[in-house]
């Protein structure tokens, strides 16, 4: 390595002189089985699952989202005797990688989970770090960063199914500052994540309150004299989206938001993962919908019925349908809450052979009702402030997430330094 007084050059780039450039294999714990793959699939198949017992960590418990360290639900269970036989335990401080399928997913057990210990499935890898060398939380942020996530994906060894193994993971680079600086870095990042998590919790509470008000006003206290109608009667525009040809480069990387249904998660929509150009819009069935449009996914379980609300004029693909509420009859909040309340029924209506789909016609003709205007105005008066607060919180979440994602690579490289 070429060195000077303050910095040194590594294969990873320039890092502070007193930081170390190691590999994952170097930072694993000295304890036996500190880095393990899950059991063979036949040893943890469905025939061993129980209604309760030791929870099994699977791919659905991990995420590509840095903010989501662990999804502590959706488990299958095995009994403790079988768990001891498999001996693929995961506990507080462990880092979990997806090895088969959605590689790049990383999880972290911080000790606040519902269960004291877990077993990893046949498609996961578990790492216990040497805490005299590296802090578990710091290691999580390192491996879950975009840089390492992309590196893991690039090292895919599978053919039809993405795959990584212990050899791939062992060779991953790790930049290791002194422990006090690791603590400071992890503290900055986790502080931002804690604020993001708090805002998400507030939004869940606010939306639950809005849903409770909706059910009370329009389900439990429904009036017989309310006029029957269809969803189309409540809207000034209902239509599906479209997709510009992916074979024409000039249709993409523009400045027009273009959402896929994967981005619909009962949320406000600020900025799409992909953007299209005016040329792409003009030469496809994609359409611009105004801010305030309620967007619903109409193709493919489990996304059917998922919702979003546009915060600016945008487009989306043909697997979604946009509904522009007629504000003389109902608000976008009423429309959103009604569609969310009807999600189970909408999924039952979905039809198709290869995948379960709705279509624009079914959305338009779906039955609804029109309460009298006084009740609708009173409901709007109560619910609009809740949605306004959700929107403000969502903007804060977006800002804090961008700040964290900007800071993370700078902190991890030493470009930005923090003191303990």
């Amino acid at each position: 390595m070429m060195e000077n007084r303050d910095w040194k050059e590594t294969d990873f780039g320039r890092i502070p002189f007193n930081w170390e450039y190691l590999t994952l294999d170097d930072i694993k714990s000295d304890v036996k089985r500190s880095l393990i793959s899950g059991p063979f699939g036949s040893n943890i198949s469905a025939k061993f699952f129980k209604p309760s017992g030791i929870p099994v960590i699977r791919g659905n418990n991990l995420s590509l989202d840095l903010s989501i360290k662990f999804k502590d639900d959706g488990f299958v269970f095995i009994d403790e005797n079988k768990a001891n036989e498999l001996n693929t335990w995961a506990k507080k401080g462990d880092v979990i990688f997806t090895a088969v399928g959605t590689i790049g997913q990383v999880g972290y057990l911080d000790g606040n989970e519902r269960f004291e210990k877990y077993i990893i499935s046949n498609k996961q890898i578990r790492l216990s770090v040497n805490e005299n060398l590296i802090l578990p939380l710091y290691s999580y942020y390192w491996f879950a960063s975009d840089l390492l996530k992309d590196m893991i994906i690039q090292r895919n060894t599978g053919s039809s199914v993405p795959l990584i193994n212990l050899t791939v993971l062992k060779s991953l680079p790790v930049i290791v500052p002194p422990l006090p600086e690791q603590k400071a870095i992890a503290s900055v990042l986790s502080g931002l994540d804690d604020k993001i998590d708090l805002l998400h919790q507030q939004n869940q509470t606010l939306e639950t309150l809005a849903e409770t008000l909706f059910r009370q006003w329009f389900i439990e206290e429904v009036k017989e004299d309310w006029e029957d109608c269809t969803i189309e009667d409540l809207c000034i525009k209902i239509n599906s989206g479209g997709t510009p040809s992916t074979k024409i480069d000039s249709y993409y990387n523009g400045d027009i938001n273009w959402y896929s249904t994967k981005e619909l998660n009962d949320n406000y929509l600020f900025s799409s993962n992909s953007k299209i150009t005016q040329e792409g819009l003009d030469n496809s069935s994609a359409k611009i919908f105004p801010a305030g449009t309620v967007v619903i996914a109409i193709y493919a379980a489990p996304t059917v019925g998922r919702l979003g609300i546009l915060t600016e004029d945008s487009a989306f693909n043909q697997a979604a349908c946009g509904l522009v509420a007629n504000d003389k009859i109902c608000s976008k909040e009423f429309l959103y809450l009604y569609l969310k309340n009807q999600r189970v029924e909408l999924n039952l209506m979905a039809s198709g052979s290869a995948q379960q789909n709705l279509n624009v016609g079914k959305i338009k003709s779906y039955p609804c009702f029109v309460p009298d205007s006084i009740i609708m105005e009173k409901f709007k008066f109560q619910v609009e402030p809740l949605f306004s607060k959700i929107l403000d919180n969502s903007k804060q979440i977006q800002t804090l997430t961008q700040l964290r994602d900007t800071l993370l690579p700078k902190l991890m490289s030493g470009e930005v330094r923090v003191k303990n």
Side-chain angles (χ1 to χ4, degrees):
M1 292 188 239
M2 295 172 22
E3 301 181 357
N4 61 38
R5 189 175 64 181
D6 299 315
W7 299 89
K8 57 187 177 185
E9 295 294 333
T10 70
D11 292 340
F12 196 79
R14 191 178 72 158
I15 63 173
F17 183 81
N18 64 333
W19 291 20
E20 295 187 77
Y21 174 69
L22 304 174
T23 66
L24 183 148
D25 197 39
D26 297 323
I27 58 99
K28 71 178 188 295
S29 171
D30 295 332
V31 175
K32 188 177 179 181
R33 294 179 59 79
S34 59
L35 179 64
I36 58 169
S37 295
F40 288 112
S42 59
N43 290 334
I44 196 170
S45 61
K47 67 181 180 181
F48 297 110
F49 296 162
K50 307 291 182 182
S52 62
I54 304 297
V56 180
I57 297 175
R58 300 178 294 169
N60 61 289
N61 301 115
L62 308 183
S63 174
L64 293 171
D65 185 344
L66 185 67
S67 298
I68 303 175
K69 295 182 178 67
F70 188 65
K71 298 178 183 178
D72 203 13
D73 55 21
F75 296 109
V76 296
F77 299 88
I78 58 175
D79 64 41
E80 189 148 5
N81 288 334
K82 184 63 179 177
N84 284 323
E85 174 192 323
L86 296 174
N87 196 25
T88 58
W89 296 101
K91 62 187 186 311
K92 178 182 177 181
D94 285 345
V95 179
I96 317 295
F97 301 85
T98 290
V100 181
T102 311
I103 59 174
Q105 289 187 147
V106 182
Y108 174 67
L109 302 180
D110 64 9
N112 294 313
E113 291 77 29
R114 293 164 52 203
F115 300 90
E116 183 179 349
K117 53 187 179 180
Y118 299 79
I119 285 287
I120 62 170
S121 81
N122 58 309
K123 295 181 179 180
Q124 270 63 55
I125 293 175
R126 188 266 290 145
L127 167 69
S128 299
V129 301
N130 180 348
E131 296 188 32
N132 293 318
L133 184 62
I134 190 168
L135 298 178
L137 183 56
Y138 173 88
S139 73
Y140 165 76
Y141 280 115
W142 174 261
F143 292 119
S145 67
D146 286 342
L147 182 62
L148 267 291
K149 183 165 56 182
D150 291 344
M151 190 174 293
I152 289 171
I153 293 171
Q154 289 168 8
R155 298 187 182 189
N156 169 32
T157 60
S159 52
S160 57
V161 178
L163 173 69
I164 56 171
N165 54 36
L166 291 180
T167 301
V168 169
L169 282 186
K170 285 180 179 180
S171 67
L172 290 177
V174 188
I175 301 299
V176 184
L179 285 171
E181 199 158 1
Q182 289 181 44
K183 183 177 180 180
I185 291 170
S187 178
V188 169
L189 297 172
S190 62
L192 290 168
D193 272 343
D194 289 345
K195 177 63 174 175
I196 292 168
D197 184 57
L198 179 61
L199 290 167
H200 277 301
Q201 290 179 38
Q202 288 180 1
N203 278 357
Q204 289 172 3
T205 300
L206 290 165
E207 186 156 347
T208 297
L209 179 56
E211 291 171 11
T212 300
L213 287 171
F214 178 87
R215 286 194 296 271
Q216 180 183 346
W217 285 48
F218 300 116
I219 304 299
E220 297 168 7
E221 300 178 7
V222 62
K223 302 294 190 296
E224 291 184 2
D225 60 347
W226 287 351
E227 181 183 347
D228 291 333
C229 69
T230 65
I231 292 291
E232 186 174 22
D233 296 323
L234 302 179
C235 299
I236 59 175
K237 179 181 180 181
I238 300 178
N239 219 324
S240 60
T243 300
S245 173
T246 56
K247 297 178 181 179
I248 302 177
D249 293 341
S250 60
Y251 289 177
Y252 288 87
N253 299 314
D255 57 6
I256 299 172
N257 279 329
W258 179 81
Y259 292 96
S260 73
T261 51
K262 293 179 180 179
E263 297 170 84
L264 303 182
N265 195 26
D266 301 339
N267 54 336
Y268 279 101
L269 299 168
F270 293 98
S271 181
S272 58
N273 294 332
S274 298
K275 296 184 185 294
I276 61 173
T277 62
Q278 187 65 45
E279 182 185 359
L281 183 71
D282 293 340
N283 290 278
S284 71
S285 56
K287 309 164 190 69
I288 293 293
F289 284 76
T293 296
V294 177
V295 185
I296 183 170
I298 58 175
Y299 286 5
T303 59
V304 169
R306 288 186 186 173
L307 300 164
I309 300 177
L310 299 181
T311 59
E312 60 181 69
D313 296 356
S314 306
F316 40 81
N317 67 15
Q318 68 276 9
C321 177
L323 301 94
V324 182
N326 183 342
D327 57 14
K328 293 180 180 179
I329 302 175
C330 74
S331 65
K332 63 180 181 296
E333 293 84 6
F334 175 89
L335 189 59
Y336 173 93
L337 291 168
Y338 182 73
L339 291 170
K340 190 172 184 183
N341 186 72
Q342 297 296 306
R343 181 170 294 162
V344 173
E345 287 75 10
L346 288 167
N347 271 271
L348 291 174
M349 284 179 58
S351 61
S353 53
Q355 57 185 7
Q356 299 299 300
N357 298 337
L358 292 171
N359 57 50
V360 174
K362 288 180 178 179
I363 296 294
K364 286 182 175 181
S365 62
Y366 193 79
C368 193
F369 52 85
V370 183
D372 66 65
S373 58
I374 295 176
I375 290 177
M376 192 67 85
E377 280 300 316
K378 287 182 178 179
F379 178 72
K380 182 179 179 180
F381 179 78
Q382 295 225 15
V383 168
E384 269 194 346
L386 301 178
F387 275 78
S388 178
K389 180 60 176 173
I390 291 171
L391 177 58
D392 288 343
N393 284 349
S394 298
K395 289 177 180 177
Q396 287 190 61
I397 289 169
Q398 184 185 44
T399 300
L400 291 169
T401 300
Q402 290 173 346
L403 174 60
R404 182 204 61 201
D405 293 348
T406 300
L407 272 177
L408 190 149
K410 297 179 183 294
L411 291 170
M412 295 289 188
S413 67
E415 181 181 345
V416 173
R417 305 292 291 273
V418 291
K419 294 181 179 179
N420 188 14

